[in-house]
Amino acid sequence: MDIYSLMREFADSWALLALVLVFLFVVFWAFRPGSAKLHDDAAESIFRHDENRPSPPRFEKEVV
């Protein structure tokens, strides 16, 4: 059996199964119960300082 046939057989069976399982895990992780708050916070984060002034810096340097 040459290397191409071996890799083709692996890709048609176990690799396909592995990729389907990874896809299902990622979909479940994105839509898991309790993650709606995190997704809403990330979606609204760009509007937190929606005024005519810039937002304050997160880390201010200490003035000595």
Side-chain angles (χ1 to χ4, degrees), residues 45-58 60:
S45 66
I46 62 171
F47 302 114
R48 282 197 186 121
H49 304 288
D50 192 21
E51 296 178 13
N52 290 334
R53 59 185 172 85
S55 61
R58 287 186 165 188
E60 295 182 12

Side-chain angles (χ1 to χ4, degrees), residues 3-40:
I3 190 76
Y4 175 78
S5 298
L6 183 66
M7 295 300 285
R8 171 85 188 234
E9 184 178 336
F10 176 75
D12 287 342
S13 58
W14 295 107
L16 178 63
L17 178 65
L19 288 175
V20 168
L21 291 175
V22 167
F23 174 78
L24 291 175
F25 176 76
V26 168
V27 168
F28 174 74
W29 184 260
F31 295 107
R32 71 189 185 279
S35 67
K37 182 180 176 185
L38 295 172
H39 292 301
D40 291 340

